[in-house]
């Protein structure tokens, strides 16, 4: 069992940290009024619906419903236990927390096979790196890297290693340490021969680049051949611990620099990241041989809102940069594109021109997203040809029409007019036509998308009076201890109609037995149910009056109790109909009298 953290220590941690600072490590927040808003890290969105209240020390997303305090934020985002979240927050708040972290880590319910996969990768990463930098067997590989411009600092920072030119060294190495061959095969480290069922090493005589997850755990490898062996790069297959669509290379090391510089540089591959790091670009990341995914974007959202795309300048690289840019733009990111000259990739450019030129003339000279589109749409066109020129101008004007700011539209129209010696007025008129046509199309599409839900939506959003009354009372009970007891007294043994609401006030009354003052963040820690935490956070974010008047309270209690009476009336009406069907008119008359009395009490 993990060490239990005393409640007074939890309170000390909670009071020592500010939820805005905690969440700002993962989400870009902007202050609006009393609260802070940003893009939700728990679901994809382009318009901020994620709110953080510094006054109440809670967060809530109006889009997906996520909500809670600093503890539950870390627990949900990083998939960690309460104790682990407390340890992280205690460190942030400079609170001494005497808890055995090793015991806590052992308690984590990670299947032993998956843990074995991770342990084996960690062990091999250290061993491969040792072979490269400390042994005669790895000397030729080390010299090869030095010849390619790698420094010892880069080799150590990225934990680059070397795999022996052996068919079964890793098989024996892991077997001696009690790692199951079947699971090491599933981990992608060894391969099973079909003819006799024996195993051999996947990586042999290769430079080994470890792949890390967001927390710095080794989960895969990419091995580069030293000679002419194919393939040039041999990568780990996707496994239970390695999914390319979720991994951004170097993210675990680049996070601090990304936050410092307020932007990330997105490369196509890890070799470019390492080369750029040697040139002083420490906020570089890369996808693992796959297009940018929603999972990648969700991860990026936690650290940054501005991205510089730096892909190869060949046709495939430009197309990939355009796809990535559109995906990032749809997700609400600010985008620039660093254009590589002469068909070079970043590694080649740095070798040929040096790190300073790469920083100043490539990264710092990045084009705006619209500026990149000027280059993108002219590819394959002969602008001396009238047809190609008019086609290009039309495409660019359409793109300019999509820009939200009039100043931007004017700037790029002037640029286009100057390049082709065209009338600015004519271009503006053409741009307006495209702009209003786009508006009409968007309106029609919006109406078409809304038609199927026009009838359903109001019914879904319209809540019964008792539901609203219960939430309104809970919102005030969370702010007023005496009111909580008063509501309990007025209910006179009756319960709220919504089970979750009743559970919340039951927790709240228990909470107030030990706490003399309301404390939203502390109450969210007190509640053990994730769903109830979300509901409480949602209620806390409601805009309510400072005080609940006696008349308002009376009306709310009446709505709660009346619903029970209405249910009782319906039940009695069914009994009356059944008595009449049975021709028991005396019983039917008695029931009718009871119904009348119930209706009078409403």
């Amino acid at each position: 069992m993990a060490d239990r953290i005393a409640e007074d220590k939890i309170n000390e941690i909670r009071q020592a940290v500010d939820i805005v600072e905690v969440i700002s490590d993962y989400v870009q927040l902007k202050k609006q009024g009393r609260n802070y808003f940003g893009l939700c890290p728990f679901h994809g969105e382009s318009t901020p619906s994620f709110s953080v209240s510094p006054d109440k020390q809670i967060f809530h997303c109006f889009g997906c419903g996520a909500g809670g305090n600093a503890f539950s934020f870390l627990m949900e985002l990083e998939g960690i236990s309460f104790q682990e979240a407390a340890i992280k927050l205690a460190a942030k708040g400079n609170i001494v927390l005497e808890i055995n972290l090793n015991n806590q880590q052992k308690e984590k319910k990670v299947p032993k096979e998956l843990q074995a996969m991770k342990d084996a990768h960690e062990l091999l990463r250290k061993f491969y790196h040792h072979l490269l930098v400390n042994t005669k067997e790895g000397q030729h590989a080390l010299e090869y890297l030095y010849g390619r411009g790698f420094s010892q600092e880069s080799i150590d920072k990225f934990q680059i290693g070397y795999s022996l030119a052996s068919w079964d060294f890793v098989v024996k190495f892991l077997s001696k340490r009690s790692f199951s061959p079947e699971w090491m095969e599933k981990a992608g480290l060894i391969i099973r021969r079909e003819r006799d069922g024996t195993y051999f090493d996947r990586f042999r005589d290769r430079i080994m680049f470890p792949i890390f997850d967001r927390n710095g755990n080794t989960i895969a490898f990419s091995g580069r051949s030293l000679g002419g062996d194919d393939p040039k790069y041999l990568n780990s297959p996707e496994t239970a611990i390695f999914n390319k669509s979720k991994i951004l290379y170097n993210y675990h090391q680049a996070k601090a620099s990304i936050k410092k510089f307020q932007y990330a540089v997105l490369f196509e591959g890890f070799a470019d990241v390492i080369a750029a790091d040697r040139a002083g670009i420490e906020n570089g990341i890369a996808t693992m041989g796959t297009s940018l995914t929603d999972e990648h974007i969700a991860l990026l959202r936690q650290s940054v809102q501005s991205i510089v795309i730096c892909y190869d300048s060949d046709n495939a690289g430009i197309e990939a940069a355009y796809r990535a840019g559109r995906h990032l733009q749809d997700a609400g990111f600010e985008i620039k594109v660093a254009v590589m000259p002469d068909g070079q990739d970043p590694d080649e450019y740095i070798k040929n021109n040096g790190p300073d030129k790469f920083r100043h003339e490539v990264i710092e000279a990045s084009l705006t997203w619209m500026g990149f589109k000027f280059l993108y749409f002219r590819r394959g066109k002969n602008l001396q040809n009238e047809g190609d020129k008019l086609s290009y101008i039309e495409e660019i004007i359409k793109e300019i029409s999509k820009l939200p700011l009039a100043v931007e539209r004017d700037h790029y129209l002037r640029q286009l007019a100057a390049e082709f010696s065209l009338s600015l007025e004519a271009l503006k008129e053409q741009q307006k036509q495209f702009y209003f046509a786009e508006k009409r199309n968007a309106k029609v599409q919006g109406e078409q998308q809304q038609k199927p839900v026009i009838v359903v939506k109001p019914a879904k959003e319209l809540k019964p009076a008792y539901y609203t009354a219960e939430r309104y009372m809970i919102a005030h009970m969370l702010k007023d201890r005496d009111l909580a007891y008063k509501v309990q007294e007025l209910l006179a043994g009756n319960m709220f109609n919504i089970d979750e609401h009743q559970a919340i006030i039951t927790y709240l009354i228990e909470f107030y037995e030990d706490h003399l003052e309301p404390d939203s963040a502390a109450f969210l820690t007190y509640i053990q149910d994730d769903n109830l935490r979300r509901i409480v956070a949602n209620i806390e974010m409601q805009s309510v009056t400072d005080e609940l008047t006696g008349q308002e309270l009376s009306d709310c209690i009446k709505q709660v109790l009346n619903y029970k009476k209405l249910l009782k009336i319906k039940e009695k009406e069914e009994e009356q109909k059944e008595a009449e069907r049975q021709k028991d008119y005396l019983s039917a008359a008695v029931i009718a009298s009871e119904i009348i009395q119930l209706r009078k009490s409403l």
Side-chain angles (χ1 to χ4, degrees):
M1 290 292 293
D3 295 351
R4 182 176 176 81
I5 305 173
E7 186 174 349
D8 60 346
K9 184 62 71 171
I10 292 171
N11 291 334
E12 185 182 356
I13 294 168
R14 196 180 60 254
Q15 292 167 10
V17 297
D18 179 7
I19 192 170
V20 175
E21 292 182 8
V22 172
I23 293 180
S24 291
D25 288 341
Y26 302 87
V27 179
Q28 296 287 308
L29 296 174
K30 291 183 179 179
K31 191 172 185 181
Q32 295 180 20
R34 298 177 68 177
N35 294 341
Y36 290 78
F37 287 85
L39 296 172
C40 180
F42 301 112
H43 82 289
E45 62 177 7
S46 56
T47 303
S49 63
F50 183 82
S51 175
V52 183
S53 169
D55 296 337
K56 299 174 181 177
Q57 289 293 297
I58 64 173
F59 73 91
H60 177 68
C61 176
F62 295 97
C64 69
N69 57 11
F71 291 88
S72 54
F73 177 82
L74 291 179
M75 290 165 65
E76 190 165 349
L77 188 67
E78 298 195 3
I80 59 179
S81 68
F82 178 82
Q83 282 81 5
E84 288 174 299
I87 290 167
K88 280 178 173 280
L89 293 174
K92 191 173 185 67
N94 296 316
I95 302 296
V96 177
L97 189 61
E98 296 179 355
I99 183 171
N100 191 328
L101 182 57
N102 290 329
N103 287 347
Q104 168 58 28
Q105 290 175 333
K106 288 175 184 177
E107 190 188 86
K108 287 182 70 177
K109 296 180 180 179
V110 179
K112 63 179 182 179
E113 293 86 358
L114 297 188
Q115 190 59 53
M117 285 183 174
K118 293 180 180 180
D119 292 344
H121 276 87
E122 282 291 316
L123 182 62
L124 283 178
R125 171 186 61 79
K126 294 174 183 177
F127 183 69
Y128 287 149
H129 184 65
H130 169 73
L131 282 174
L132 177 70
V133 300
N134 295 319
T135 69
K136 290 182 180 179
E137 290 86 348
Q139 186 64 35
H140 67 297
L142 188 61
E143 290 174 358
Y144 174 86
L145 287 171
Y146 287 155
R148 299 277 298 180
F150 283 75
S151 65
Q152 188 60 50
E153 183 182 0
S154 285
I155 291 169
D156 291 338
K157 180 175 181 177
F158 293 94
Q159 285 291 286
I160 301 169
Y162 169 69
S163 59
L164 293 170
S166 166
W167 283 92
D168 60 358
F169 180 85
V170 170
V171 173
K172 294 176 180 176
F173 181 77
L174 294 176
S175 295
K176 286 180 181 178
R177 287 157 180 79
S178 301
F179 287 100
S180 161
E182 291 79 13
W183 277 97
M184 292 308 99
E185 181 194 6
K186 291 180 180 179
L189 297 172
I190 60 178
I191 300 172
R192 186 176 183 274
R193 295 185 179 91
E194 290 187 9
R195 68 173 185 268
D196 58 7
T198 58
Y199 296 91
F200 63 95
D201 298 355
R202 178 179 295 275
F203 301 103
R204 302 178 303 280
D205 192 27
R206 286 179 177 268
I207 305 288
M208 299 299 290
F209 297 89
I211 311 301
F212 302 90
D213 65 15
R214 58 184 291 176
N215 297 315
N217 301 310
T218 313
I219 55 173
F221 291 101
S222 181
R224 191 196 192 286
S225 67
L226 285 161
D229 294 344
D230 287 329
K232 181 179 178 181
Y233 284 98
L234 178 65
N235 300 320
S236 293
E238 292 207 341
T239 66
I241 62 172
F242 174 51
N243 185 329
K244 289 185 289 186
S245 67
K246 297 180 180 179
I247 297 298
L248 287 171
Y249 181 79
N250 196 45
Y251 180 79
H252 70 295
Q253 292 190 121
K255 278 189 293 187
S257 293
I258 288 173
K259 286 194 173 293
K260 177 181 177 182
F261 297 114
Q262 290 296 293
Y263 74 94
V265 183
L266 179 65
F267 294 99
E268 277 191 277
F270 66 82
D272 293 334
V273 171
I274 298 173
D277 185 82
R278 298 202 303 271
I281 306 297
E282 297 183 343
N283 52 337
I285 52 175
T287 53
M288 295 301 302
T290 182
S291 298
L292 203 65
T293 66
D294 290 338
E295 289 90 346
H296 292 144
I297 284 178
L299 187 59
L300 285 170
R301 265 212 194 97
Q302 297 172 21
S303 302
V304 74
Q305 286 184 321
S306 297
I307 306 289
V308 174
I309 301 170
C310 186
Y311 284 5
D312 294 353
S313 57
D314 58 14
N315 192 57
I318 292 172
E319 284 290 350
Y322 182 69
R323 288 195 303 272
R326 288 186 62 181
H327 201 165
L328 288 164
Q329 184 183 43
D330 290 343
F333 285 85
E334 297 174 8
I335 313 153
K336 288 187 175 182
V337 181
V339 179
M340 299 297 307
D342 305 324
Q344 299 180 72
D345 61 31
D347 190 16
E348 292 170 334
Y349 184 91
I350 292 167
K351 285 190 182 76
N352 297 332
N353 301 280
D356 289 341
K357 203 166 185 179
F358 178 73
R359 287 197 308 274
H360 300 309
E361 297 187 16
V362 177
I363 300 300
E364 293 175 9
S366 299
L367 298 174
T368 64
W369 179 231
M370 188 64 227
F372 172 71
K373 287 180 180 179
F374 271 77
L375 294 180
Y376 176 79
F377 284 107
R378 73 170 63 216
R379 292 175 315 120
K381 289 185 174 67
N382 176 10
L383 297 185
Q384 302 304 314
N385 176 279
E386 187 176 359
D388 279 6
K389 180 166 68 175
L390 290 174
S391 173
Y392 169 72
I393 292 171
E394 181 177 333
E395 284 179 318
I396 290 297
I397 294 176
K398 285 181 178 178
E399 293 299 320
I400 292 173
S401 298
K402 298 174 184 176
L403 295 173
L405 299 178
V407 173
E408 285 185 289
R409 295 195 294 270
D410 183 76
H411 171 77
Y412 290 112
L413 285 173
R414 289 179 184 276
Q415 183 175 318
L416 194 62
E419 182 178 0
F420 293 100
S421 301
L422 297 170
S423 162
L424 180 60
E425 288 70 25
L427 290 179
K428 284 185 174 181
E429 184 62 32
Q430 184 72 35
Q431 182 267 315
K432 286 179 182 177
Q433 292 178 17
F434 285 133
Y435 177 79
F436 288 115
E438 186 72 24
K439 283 280 188 182
R440 286 194 296 272
N441 290 336
K443 183 179 179 182
V444 170
Q445 290 176 4
E447 289 173 350
Q448 289 174 345
Q449 291 173 357
Q450 290 174 9
K451 281 179 182 177
V453 296
I454 283 175
V455 177
V456 178
K457 194 172 181 180
K460 182 179 179 182
E461 292 189 346
L462 186 62
K463 300 295 185 182
Y466 67 83
Y467 178 96
T468 305
E470 289 178 2
R471 289 219 165 195
Y472 194 66
M473 283 191 287
I474 291 172
H476 282 281
M477 293 164 73
L478 289 165
K479 300 192 301 178
D480 189 332
R481 183 173 184 267
D482 292 336
L483 179 65
Y485 288 110
K486 188 172 183 179
V487 168
Q488 187 183 40
E489 180 184 337
L490 291 173
L491 286 172
N494 290 289
M495 293 191 294
F496 276 179
N497 299 290
I498 305 298
D499 291 342
E500 289 84 356
H501 294 172
Q502 181 59 42
I504 288 168
I505 64 169
T506 301
Y507 270 119
L508 188 58
I509 294 298
E510 292 176 356
F511 176 79
Y512 281 144
E513 293 296 324
D514 299 320
H515 298 77
L516 298 178
E517 296 294 332
D519 188 331
S520 300
F523 181 54
L524 286 169
T525 301
Y526 184 81
I527 295 175
Q528 300 300 307
D529 185 274
D530 290 338
N531 184 48
L532 294 183
R533 283 197 190 106
R534 287 172 172 243
I535 296 172
V536 170
N538 178 275
I539 293 173
E540 279 279 22
M541 288 297 187
Q542 287 181 196
S543 179
V544 295
T545 56
D546 290 337
E547 292 185 10
L548 184 65
T549 66
Q551 185 60 52
E552 286 177 322
L553 178 58
S554 177
D555 290 342
C556 287
I557 292 293
K558 186 176 181 180
Q559 291 292 350
V560 173
L561 298 180
N562 276 356
Y563 180 65
K564 297 180 184 300
K565 292 175 183 177
L566 289 171
L567 291 178
K568 190 68 174 176
I569 289 170
K570 287 183 180 180
E571 182 183 324
K572 289 294 181 182
E573 286 174 342
E574 289 299 321
E575 289 179 11
Q576 183 185 16
K577 289 178 182 177
E578 181 61 27
E580 289 173 348
R581 280 195 294 270
Q582 298 294 330
K583 302 187 184 303
D584 185 356
Y585 299 112
L586 180 60
S587 295
V590 172
I591 295 171
S593 177
E594 292 174 354
I595 292 172
I596 291 170
Q597 292 302 314
L598 284 169
R599 283 178 176 157
K600 284 181 179 180
S601 67
L602 290 175

